[in-house]
């Protein structure tokens, strides 16, 4: 711990001593350097070996330096939070750090050369945060609460703007604020820019306080959607201020209201249009998987800029683009691209947020903008706070009359307290025209103070408040199959009852929409392959199996090797000791699965392992050979799998900025999966298969099928074995194992399990109990194994095992 | 209110009905209590379903509802209306079953002696449980679960996969290891789900 503190200090020192003076020196000396350069050109007496070309790289260099500084700042802040106290939320700490940095810059420069300029903020820093928020938005939750969100966003914001503006004006008229060159319209303008709850701040603060989903989505959804209102109000009042008081009549007001409709809905539909474009694009990008992830960002940004160009609500546009495209893009894109998008989005969003808060701090250290008017500032703070509370309670009261599950009082308190203002308000304030609004600096100062107050103070106190009020926290829902099953059942039940009652309830709309979406929209926007893999319950089941697989493998490593797969009882006991009863049931069976997997078997109990490995009962020579092969494979596995770390169930907390842990292991899951399947391929190839066994298979298949259920009474789990499900063989002419066909190049092109035909012949073991067929894997939802993968391992293994088992191919296999 | 009253009088035993199901007669100030319009609406619906005007419904009346046929567990729900052995459903039973889906009254005063209202969480769960447990032995056996799963999962899931899912589901919920899910285990496994929300129809308040 001490070391990291030292690291922080070191970093701070670095920042202070080196980076900033460097910047200062460079920017100051810029003019100096230009002249010598010209002089040098004229007085060039000899060849300059090295020249200092600051002015060539100035702009990008400064940008990068600041990004670097922001990164270091975030690092320091996070370390601080981990090791010292985590009382102040990260955003607050970043602002404070920004103060320090701003102080340094100002100290060197006597002027604030690095400010958060509105164009930078609105065009380069904000879009990715909104895109990230909307791309990971829990759609179902969002849309089911959409009514409430809209009420808060539209009416709440209007209420806030109106009341704050009018109250301030009232106080001004009452003379509390002294002499200001300001009028009613300007107060209203100010009210509209300070009224909006800021998504960046909300994410930053609520991320660390895990409140229940509904509460979060209400606050967060409101912060996203209120941009539509804010933009309209701001522009309307800005125009009114420019027009001047007397020219405003009913027509103008009506135009203002109409513009709201156009801006808000226009922005949303534009976003939806871009989402459709994006989905269609990803549908066709099968062959350029390497860059398809980029499309998400590019199209998202396009949506934002296009809306901005058309003076529609840019935030709404990019929000709806993200919300609508998530499902299709995730289904269409290759797994790796999906992961890339996730990681890249989080990176960009995190980075932007850091920079925004840092610059919010830096910008404050500037003597030019600060105008202090006690009355104005304090009253603003007061009104913003009070009217937020009043507004929230008022609208919630109205909403609860219509909601199925009313919003509780405690949640309302948190909602009103969570009305944080942030950089958007500052950006809008900085955009004000000084000529039209002489008191611009006062407004900027006030906005900054409000932002600091909400982010820092309310951020600090949010967590204790939530704990004190015993707010319902986010439910750590494990992905239990029975819960999912019942959820689905309840949906059906509700639907049926609604049908019986003959009334159109909420569910009717949802169902109608789902049907429409499934039939038409998905058909248009999703790849056909992706559409087939959509069965919900099955994908849950599949995910659960994979998690078990991970746990199993990681346990194997911890044990040192997969040796336990060769022993029997002992390993079981270990598991029980380590995991307690929770895993004990599942683990032994999985363990058994795993090892027998290589032998191509699924159902079994612990004892059957013993049978299999001891080369006495069934397989004789071949069993021994297989055991050796297994050793080999185990060793291989051990080495390769050493890279993985164990994963436990991580709760599905989706709203975190820095963690999106639900499927973090997907990539590794896939790889483990691939490897184990590869080993299965090897075991298949270790037997000689021709056309004949086909008949044997069907016979035994039917026999074994009936026996199966009886045989293994205590086989309780699906676990991994079910992924390798037995196939109902359609009795064809035979089963071609491409491995043994004359053209041996097919395995190297694509693994058999990816081929459409029944390409894998079962091993002799498999004839007794049939293993899964790889092509059935297509049924397993999101698992996608890239057909173009250049797995050198695969090819190496293929050739290796082919050689190894060539001599064994002569062996006769006895039917069991 | 006059016409409402007269319509209400046509429904036999209407006071008893309202008492049992909680659908109140008088609209109170508390906005959670409902107007008698619901009983009337349900009565109208009952009459609309009962095409032959016999005063009671039989299974094929329910079958006439098209969307219900497309519901994977539609037939089970229809079955839930009919008590074992009976072939018909009268209005009384109809409303009683539907009353399961009223949103839970949070403000209900807790009287220790009065029977639990039909739309309590526990009764909702019992209703759902009965949908699974067709033979009414108080436990969901593996076969019954399989049947439900088969109904709810798409056709591309093979039988073996289905069986694994069923096995795994039972394993998750089954605490006493008897390979069946009793009501208590069922209830426990659904602790985290907001039953009030999931099994309530708003307009039946």
């Amino acid at each position: 711990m001490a070391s990291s503190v030292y690291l922080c200090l070191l970093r701070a020192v670095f920042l202070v001593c080196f980076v900033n003076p460097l910047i200062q020196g460079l920017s100051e000396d810029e003019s100096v350097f230009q002249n010598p350069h010209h002089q040098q050109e004229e007085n060039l007496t000899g060849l300059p070996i090295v020249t200092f070309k600051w002015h060539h790289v100035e702009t990008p260099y400064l940008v990068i330096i600041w990004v670097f500084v922001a990164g270091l700042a975030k690092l320091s802040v996070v370390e601080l939070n981990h090791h010292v106290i985590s009382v102040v939320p990260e955003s607050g700490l970043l602002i404070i750090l920004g103060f320090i940095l701003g102080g340094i810059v100002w100290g060197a420069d006597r002027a604030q050369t690095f400010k958060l300029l509105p164009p930078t903020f609105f065009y380069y820093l904000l879009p990715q945060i909104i895109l990230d928020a909307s791309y990971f938005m829990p759609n179902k939750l969002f849309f089911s609460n959409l009514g409430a969100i809209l009420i808060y966003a539209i009416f709440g914001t209007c209420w806030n703007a109106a009341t704050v503006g009018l109250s301030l004006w009232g106080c001004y008229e009452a003379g509390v604020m002294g002499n200001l060159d300001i009028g009613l319209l300007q107060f209203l303008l100010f009210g509209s820019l300070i009224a909006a709850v800021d998504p960046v701040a909300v994410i930053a603060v609520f991320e660390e306080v895990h409140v229940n989903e509904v509460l979060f989505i209400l606050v967060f959804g409101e912060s996203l959607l209120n941009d539509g209102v804010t933009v309209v109000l701001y522009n309307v009042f800005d125009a009114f201020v420019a027009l001047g008081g007397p020219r405003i009549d009913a027509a103008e007001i009506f135009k203002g209201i109409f513009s709201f409709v156009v801006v808000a809905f226009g922005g949303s539909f534009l976003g939806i249009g871009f989402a459709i474009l994006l989905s269609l694009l990803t549908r066709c990008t099968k062959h350029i998987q390497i860059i398809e992830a980029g499309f998400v960002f590019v199209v998202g940004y396009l949506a934002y800029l296009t809306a901005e160009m058309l003076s529609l609500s840019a935030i709404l546009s990019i929000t709806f683009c993200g919300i609508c495209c998530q499902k299709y893009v995730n289904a269409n894109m290759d797994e790796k691209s999906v992961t890339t998008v996730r990681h890249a989005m989080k990176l960009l969003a995190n980075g932007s947020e850091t920079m925004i808060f840092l610059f919010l701090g830096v910008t404050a250290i500037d003597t030019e903008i600060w105008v202090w008017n006690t009355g104005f500032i304090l009253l603003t703070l007061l009104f913003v706070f009070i009217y937020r509370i009043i507004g929230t309670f008022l609208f919630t009261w109205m909403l609860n009359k219509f909601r199925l599950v009313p919003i509780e009082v405690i949640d309302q308190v948190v909602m009103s307290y969570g009305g944080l203002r942030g950089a958007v308000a500052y950006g809008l304030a900085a955009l004000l025209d000084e000529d039209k609004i002489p008191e611009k600096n006062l407004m900027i100062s006030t906005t900054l103070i409000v932002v600091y107050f909400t982010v820092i103070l309310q951020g600090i106190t949010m967590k204790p408040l939530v704990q004190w009020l015993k707010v319902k926290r986010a439910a750590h829902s494990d992905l239990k199959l029975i819960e999912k099953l019942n959820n689905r059942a309840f949906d059906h039940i509700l639907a049926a009852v609604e049908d019986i009652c003959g009334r159109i309830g909420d569910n009717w709309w949802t169902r109608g929409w789902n049907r429409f979406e499934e039939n038409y929209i998905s058909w248009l926007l999703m790849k056909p392959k992706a559409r087939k893999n959509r069965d919900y319950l099955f994908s849950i089941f599949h995910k659960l199996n994979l998690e078990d697989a991970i746990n199993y493998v990681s346990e194997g490593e911890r044990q040192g090797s997969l040796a336990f797969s060769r022993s029997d009882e002992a390993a079981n006991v270990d598991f029980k000791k380590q995991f307690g009863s929770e895993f004990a049931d599942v683990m032994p069976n999985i363990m058994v699965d795993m090892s027998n997997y290589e032998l191509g078997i699924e159902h079994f109990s612990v004892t059957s392992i013993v049978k299999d490995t001891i080369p006495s009962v069934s397989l004789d020579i071949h069993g021994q050979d297989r055991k050796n092969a297994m050793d080999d494979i185990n060793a291989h596995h051990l080495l390769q799998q050493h890279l993985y770390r164990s994963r436990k169930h991580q709760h599905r907390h989706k709203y975190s900025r820095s963690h999106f842990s639900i499927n973090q292991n997907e990539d590794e899951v896939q790889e483990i999966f691939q490897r184990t399947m590869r080993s299965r391929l090897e075991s298949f190839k270790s037997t000689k298969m021709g056309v004949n066994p086909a008949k044997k298979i069907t016979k035994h298949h039917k026999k074994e099928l009936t026996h199966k259920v009886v045989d293994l009474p205590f086989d309780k789990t699906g676990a991994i074995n079910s992924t390798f499900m037995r196939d109902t063989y359609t009795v064809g002419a035979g089963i071609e194992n491409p491995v043994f066909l004359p053209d041996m190049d097919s395995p190297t092109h694509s693994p058999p399990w990816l081929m459409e035909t029944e390409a894998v012949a079962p091993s002799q073991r498999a004839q007794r109990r049939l293993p899964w067929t790889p092509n059935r894997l297509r049924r397993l939802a999101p698992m996608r194994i890239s057909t173009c993968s250049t797995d050198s391992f695969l090819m190496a293994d293929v050739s290796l095992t082919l050689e190894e088992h060539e001599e064994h191919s002569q062996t006769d296999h006895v039917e069991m | 209110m006059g016409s409402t009253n007269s319509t209400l009088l046509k429904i036999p035993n209407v006071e008893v009905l309202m008492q049992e199901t909680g659908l109140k007669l008088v609209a109170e100030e508390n906005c959670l209590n409902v107007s008698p319009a619901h009983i009337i609406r349900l009565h109208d619906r009952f009459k609309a379903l009962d095409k032959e005007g016999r005063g009671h419904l039989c299974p094929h009346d329910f079958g006439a509802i098209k969307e219900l046929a497309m519901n994977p567990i539609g037939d089970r729900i229809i079955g839930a209306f009919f008590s074992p052995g009976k072939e018909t459903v009268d209005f009384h039973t109809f409303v009683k079953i539907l009353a399961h889906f009223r949103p839970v009254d949070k403000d209900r005063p807790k009287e220790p002696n009065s029977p639990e209202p039909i739309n309590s969480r526990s009764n909702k769960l019992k209703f759902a449980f009965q949908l699974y447990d067709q033979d009414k032995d108080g436990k969901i056996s593996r076969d019954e679960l399989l049947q439900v799963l088969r109904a709810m999962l798409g056709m591309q899931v093979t039988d073996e996969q289905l069986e694994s899912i069923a096995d795994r589901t039972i394993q998750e919920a089954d605490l006493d290891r008897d390979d069946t899910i009793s009501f208590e285990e069922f209830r426990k496994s659904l602790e985290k789900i907001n039953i009030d929300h999931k099994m309530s129809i708003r307009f039946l308040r």
Side-chain angles (χ1 to χ4, degrees):
Chain A
M1 179 198 137
S3 59
S4 49
V5 172
Y6 285 142
L7 231 51
C8 293
L9 291 177
L10 202 67
R11 236 165 263 125
V13 167
F14 173 77
L15 283 176
V16 170
C17 295
F18 293 107
V19 176
N20 284 301
L22 176 70
I23 298 174
Q24 297 328 303
L26 291 175
S27 50
E28 274 170 3
D29 298 340
E30 167 206 73
S31 51
V32 176
F33 271 107
Q34 269 179 355
N35 292 332
H37 178 78
H38 290 306
Q39 278 178 351
Q40 267 180 1
E41 271 190 345
E42 286 158 17
N43 304 350
L44 212 55
T45 46
L47 180 69
I49 299 178
V50 177
T51 50
F52 190 73
K53 294 194 182 149
W54 169 246
H55 56 280
H56 281 221
V57 299
E58 178 184 358
T59 319
Y61 202 90
L62 284 175
V63 170
I64 277 297
I65 278 284
W66 272 108
V67 174
F68 184 59
V69 166
L72 288 181
K74 174 96 180 177
L75 189 54
S76 319
V77 159
V78 168
E79 292 284 334
L80 213 62
N81 250 350
H82 269 168
H83 295 284
V84 186
I85 4 162
S86 67
V87 164
V88 187
E90 278 175 26
S91 40
L93 284 175
L94 281 170
I95 292 186
I96 296 177
L97 196 56
F99 286 153
I100 300 176
L101 281 177
I104 296 172
V105 172
W106 196 75
D109 242 3
R110 292 290 138 195
Q112 188 53 265
T113 36
F114 300 106
K115 287 204 273 205
L116 184 63
L117 298 171
T120 317
F121 171 68
F122 280 116
Y123 298 142
Y124 299 115
L125 292 177
L126 187 61
Q128 49 262 41
I129 300 183
I130 309 289
L131 185 61
D132 168 70
S134 60
Y135 195 78
F136 295 107
M137 174 83 77
N139 270 356
K140 204 159 170 223
L141 198 59
F142 179 72
F143 282 111
S144 61
N145 286 305
L146 190 60
I149 292 178
L150 281 175
I151 297 278
Y152 287 124
I154 302 178
F155 296 109
T157 313
C158 288
W159 159 268
N160 278 336
T163 51
V164 170
L166 288 173
S167 314
L168 281 176
W169 178 66
C171 292
Y172 171 69
E173 293 293 324
V176 180
M177 294 181 205
N179 250 344
L180 292 172
D181 181 8
I182 200 168
L184 169 63
L185 282 173
Q186 300 183 18
F187 273 118
L188 284 174
L189 177 59
F190 179 68
S192 65
L193 71 86
I194 202 85
V197 178
D198 185 73
V200 181
V202 165
I203 296 176
V205 169
F206 271 78
E207 175 191 31
E208 309 188 9
V209 185
H210 302 154
V211 296
N212 66 65
E213 304 176 316
V214 176
L215 176 57
F216 178 80
I217 204 74
L218 287 174
V219 180
F220 183 56
E222 179 198 345
S223 69
L224 277 182
L225 294 190
N226 67 15
D227 179 66
V229 182
T230 309
V231 162
V232 171
L233 282 179
Y234 182 83
N235 287 332
V236 162
F237 284 122
D238 202 34
F240 281 179
V241 166
L243 282 179
R247 299 253 294 274
I248 299 171
D249 53 357
E252 302 293 331
I253 296 183
F254 179 69
K255 272 203 256 177
I257 298 179
F258 184 65
S259 76
F260 163 69
V261 175
V262 171
V263 164
F265 284 99
S268 314
F269 285 128
L270 190 65
I272 295 178
F274 275 100
I276 295 178
L277 172 68
L278 183 58
S279 314
L280 285 173
L281 268 175
T282 50
R283 194 182 156 164
C284 317
T285 54
K286 186 167 159 204
H287 299 286
I288 47 161
Q289 280 170 352
I290 200 77
I291 62 165
E292 65 179 348
F295 277 121
V296 178
F297 297 97
V298 167
V299 174
Y301 196 40
L302 263 180
Y304 185 86
L305 288 179
T306 312
E308 187 70 33
M309 172 178 77
L310 298 173
S311 78
L312 302 173
S313 167
I315 293 188
L316 277 185
S317 167
I318 202 174
T319 301
F320 279 99
C321 181
I323 286 180
C324 298
C325 80
Q326 340 166 329
K327 178 173 170 188
Y328 306 108
V329 166
N330 282 335
N332 283 342
M333 288 204 301
D334 178 48
E335 279 300 298
K336 292 203 178 75
S337 303
V338 173
T339 314
T340 309
V341 167
R342 266 198 221 135
H343 284 281
M345 274 238 217
K346 290 293 176 192
L347 165 70
L348 286 175
N350 237 314
S352 292
E353 189 187 303
T354 310
M355 293 196 65
I356 289 178
F357 283 117
L358 195 67
F359 272 104
L360 270 181
V362 169
T363 323
I365 313 296
D366 185 359
T367 45
E368 290 171 22
I369 59 167
W370 285 102
V371 176
W372 187 269
N373 182 321
T374 322
F376 191 85
I377 295 180
L378 287 180
L379 281 173
T380 309
L381 274 176
L382 185 71
F383 288 139
V384 157
F385 196 65
I386 292 186
Y387 285 121
R388 169 81 185 160
I389 298 180
I390 298 179
T392 310
F393 278 87
L394 179 70
F395 290 112
T396 315
W397 175 77
M398 287 190 332
L399 273 171
N400 276 344
K401 295 199 191 180
F402 300 102
R403 277 177 70 91
L404 186 58
V405 179
I407 304 172
E408 299 176 18
V409 174
I410 292 189
D411 286 348
Q412 291 172 41
V413 170
V414 178
M415 247 199 298
S416 38
Y417 200 68
L420 310 172
R421 272 64 171 178
V424 173
Y426 170 73
L428 288 175
L431 272 178
L432 290 172
D433 189 348
E434 260 161 354
D435 304 322
K436 287 188 280 183
I437 301 165
E439 295 292 339
K440 172 179 170 181
N441 283 333
L442 175 60
M443 292 189 183
I444 292 184
S445 317
T446 317
T447 311
L448 279 176
I449 302 245
V450 171
V451 170
Y452 297 145
F453 183 80
T454 53
V455 173
I456 302 181
L457 271 144
Q458 280 183 246
I460 294 180
T461 49
M462 180 70 82
K463 207 164 186 178
L465 183 76
V466 163
Q467 281 167 350
W468 178 56
L469 288 177
K470 299 200 195 31
V471 176
K472 250 191 281 192
R473 308 301 281 269
H476 294 213
S477 57
D478 295 347
L479 211 59
K480 278 179 95 180
L481 203 54
I482 190 165
E483 283 178 10
K484 296 291 169 186
L485 175 66
N486 279 306
N487 260 332
R488 186 49 69 89
F490 289 149
D491 287 337
H492 288 308
I493 295 174
L494 261 193
V497 173
E498 276 184 9
D499 288 330
I500 293 177
C501 294
R503 271 288 286 241
I504 296 176
D506 296 331
N507 225 18
W508 191 88
W509 291 111
T510 322
R511 273 183 299 136
W513 168 255
N514 281 339
R515 248 196 309 254
F516 174 71
E517 196 261 338
E518 245 172 71
N519 291 334
Y520 299 106
I521 302 186
S522 288
W523 171 84
L524 180 67
L525 298 178
M526 259 207 237
K527 273 193 211 157
K529 206 171 23 149
R531 255 184 297 138
K532 283 198 206 125
N533 294 334
R534 266 182 317 176
D535 194 85
Y536 170 68
L537 274 176
F538 196 75
S539 62
I540 302 288
F541 178 58
H542 176 68
K543 278 191 200 136
L544 284 168
N545 286 340
L546 291 171
E547 280 186 26
D548 286 336
I550 299 285
N551 288 330
Y552 165 76
V553 167
S554 62
E555 258 327 290
E557 277 165 24
R558 242 191 263 164
Q559 296 250 335
S561 70
L562 294 177
F564 59 75
S565 65
R566 290 185 226 118
S567 70
D568 37 340
E569 271 40 74
N572 268 348
V573 176
D574 276 348
F575 273 118
K576 281 195 164 65
K577 261 193 291 183
Q578 284 188 7
F579 286 108
S581 56
E582 189 191 327
F583 273 108
D585 293 325
V586 183
M587 285 309 246
N589 287 338
I590 298 176
M591 163 188 75
V592 169
D593 289 36
M594 205 50 183
S595 58
N596 278 334
Y597 170 39
E598 285 139 31
L599 306 177
I601 306 189
E602 5 138 298
H603 288 292
F604 32 69
S605 54
V606 180
T607 48
S608 72
I609 269 193
V610 182
K611 271 191 228 150
D612 292 342
T613 51
I614 297 177
S616 56
V617 179
S618 47
L619 299 174
D620 288 308
I621 306 170
H622 204 76
Q624 200 145 43
D625 289 330
R626 189 161 296 142
K627 191 167 152 211
N628 288 337
M630 216 167 76
D631 288 352
D632 244 359
I633 293 170
N634 280 342
H636 258 288
H637 275 299
L638 196 60
L639 210 61
Q640 290 170 8
Q641 287 167 350
H642 211 46
L643 299 166
Y644 297 139
R645 245 168 267 111
S646 95
R647 302 254 182 282
K648 299 286 179 192
H649 284 292
Q650 296 181 358
H651 64 85
R652 310 166 41 120
H653 198 73
K654 291 191 191 184
Y655 318 125
S656 165
R657 169 48 57 71
S658 39
H659 305 288
F660 46 106
S661 37
I662 176 84
N663 279 328
Q664 235 169 4
N665 45 2
E666 230 173 75
D667 213 36
E668 280 140 345
V669 163
Q670 261 211 22
E671 298 217 323
I672 292 183
F673 203 72
Q674 280 182 6
R675 289 209 169 88
T676 44
M677 278 172 37
R678 218 174 292 136
S679 66
R680 173 158 275 213
L681 172 65
E682 286 158 11
S683 72
F684 283 166
K685 283 185 261 140
S686 74
T687 66
K688 170 175 168 106
M689 281 296 135
V691 178
N692 280 334
K695 304 205 182 105
K696 285 189 204 156
I697 287 165
T698 50
K699 258 199 291 180
H700 286 276
H701 171 74
K702 290 214 174 79
K703 241 204 288 175
E704 286 311 312
L705 197 46
T706 50
H707 279 223
K708 185 181 73 102
V709 183
V710 180
D711 250 355
L712 310 155
F714 36 78
D715 164 31
K716 283 193 187 159
T717 88
I720 239 192
N721 59 354
S722 45
T723 29
F724 318 133
M725 258 318 146
R726 140 191 343 215
D727 182 29
T728 49
Y729 271 106
T730 51
V731 183
I735 297 174
E736 321 157 323
N737 189 341
V739 179
F740 297 99
L741 290 178
D743 49 330
M744 295 286 240
D745 55 347
S746 42
T748 58
H749 285 316
S750 72
W753 59 77
L754 285 172
M755 293 170 54
E756 286 295 345
T757 57
E758 318 254 58
V760 181
S763 66
Q764 52 140 25
R765 172 76 48 188
Q767 288 172 35
R768 185 163 60 98
R769 286 180 243 224
L770 288 163
W772 56 284
T773 359
N775 61 350
R776 287 292 179 230
L777 276 178
R778 291 195 171 287
R779 305 272 162 67
L780 303 177
M783 187 52 64
R784 237 164 275 142
I785 298 162
S786 93
T787 54
C788 322
S789 79
T790 52
D791 267 358
S792 55
F793 286 134
L794 172 64
M795 303 210 217
D797 283 355
V798 162
S799 51
L800 206 75
T801 44
L802 274 180
E803 286 166 43
E804 259 183 31
H805 295 284
E806 245 175 33
E807 57 262 48
H808 300 307
S809 56
Q810 311 308 325
T811 320
D812 229 339
H813 303 305
V814 182
E815 266 313 313
M816 310 294 301
Chain B
M1 275 296 283
S3 63
T4 332
N5 271 333
S6 59
T7 327
L8 276 175
L9 287 174
K10 290 197 195 125
I11 304 169
N13 299 328
V14 74
E15 293 89 17
V16 180
L17 193 58
M18 285 192 284
Q19 185 75 353
E20 284 179 355
T21 60
L23 293 166
K24 299 252 183 333
L25 177 56
V26 178
E28 294 168 8
E29 276 130 5
N30 186 342
C31 55
L32 285 179
N33 285 320
V34 82
S35 71
H38 289 323
I39 295 204
I40 296 174
R41 235 180 255 135
L42 287 176
H43 188 75
D44 289 339
R45 178 67 177 169
F46 184 82
K47 284 203 289 205
L49 287 174
D50 182 15
K51 295 194 176 58
E52 299 164 26
R54 286 163 300 173
H56 53 83
L57 297 175
C58 49
H60 79 252
D61 288 325
F62 283 104
I65 307 174
K66 282 197 312 294
E67 292 85 10
L68 209 52
M70 293 198 287
N71 194 314
I73 46 178
D75 47 349
R76 287 170 181 255
I77 293 175
I78 295 176
F81 277 87
F82 297 90
S83 338
K86 289 189 69 178
E87 286 286 309
T88 60
V89 179
D90 59 354
F91 182 63
H92 211 97
T93 324
F94 185 71
V95 175
K96 272 178 82 168
I97 303 276
L98 287 180
H100 281 294
F101 292 91
R102 286 187 58 229
V104 174
D105 291 330
K106 290 215 180 117
D107 305 339
R108 181 175 48 91
K110 290 202 170 37
E111 299 153 37
N113 292 331
S114 66
E116 223 175 308
I118 293 186
N119 63 336
S120 74
R121 189 170 196 273
S122 169
N123 280 329
K124 285 186 205 266
L125 279 174
K126 275 202 197 117
F127 183 79
F129 189 78
Q130 274 161 11
L131 289 178
Y132 290 101
D133 183 22
Q134 294 287 58
D135 57 2
K136 311 241 186 294
D137 61 353
K139 292 180 185 297
I140 304 176
S141 71
R142 189 168 171 272
D143 285 327
E144 288 168 343
L145 191 61
L146 264 179
Q147 284 168 21
V148 178
L149 277 173
R150 168 45 75 202
M152 288 195 355
L153 281 175
M155 286 314 291
Q156 66 261 33
V157 180
T158 65
D159 286 333
E160 292 74 18
Q161 289 162 331
L162 216 55
E163 286 181 25
S164 303
I165 297 180
D167 287 332
R168 199 194 170 106
T169 309
I170 291 187
Q171 185 208 30
E172 278 177 359
D174 193 14
L175 302 166
D176 56 4
R177 315 237 168 283
D178 58 356
D179 218 18
T180 61
I181 303 180
S182 70
F183 180 64
E184 275 312 309
E185 291 163 354
F186 184 71
R187 188 215 292 266
K188 203 160 191 309
S189 70
L190 294 181
E191 272 172 340
K192 294 191 191 132
I193 296 189
N194 188 350
I195 301 286
D196 304 337
H197 196 168
K198 285 244 121 190
M199 277 190 67
S200 299
I201 299 187
R202 191 180 301 177
F203 70 86
L204 280 176
R205 262 188 206 172

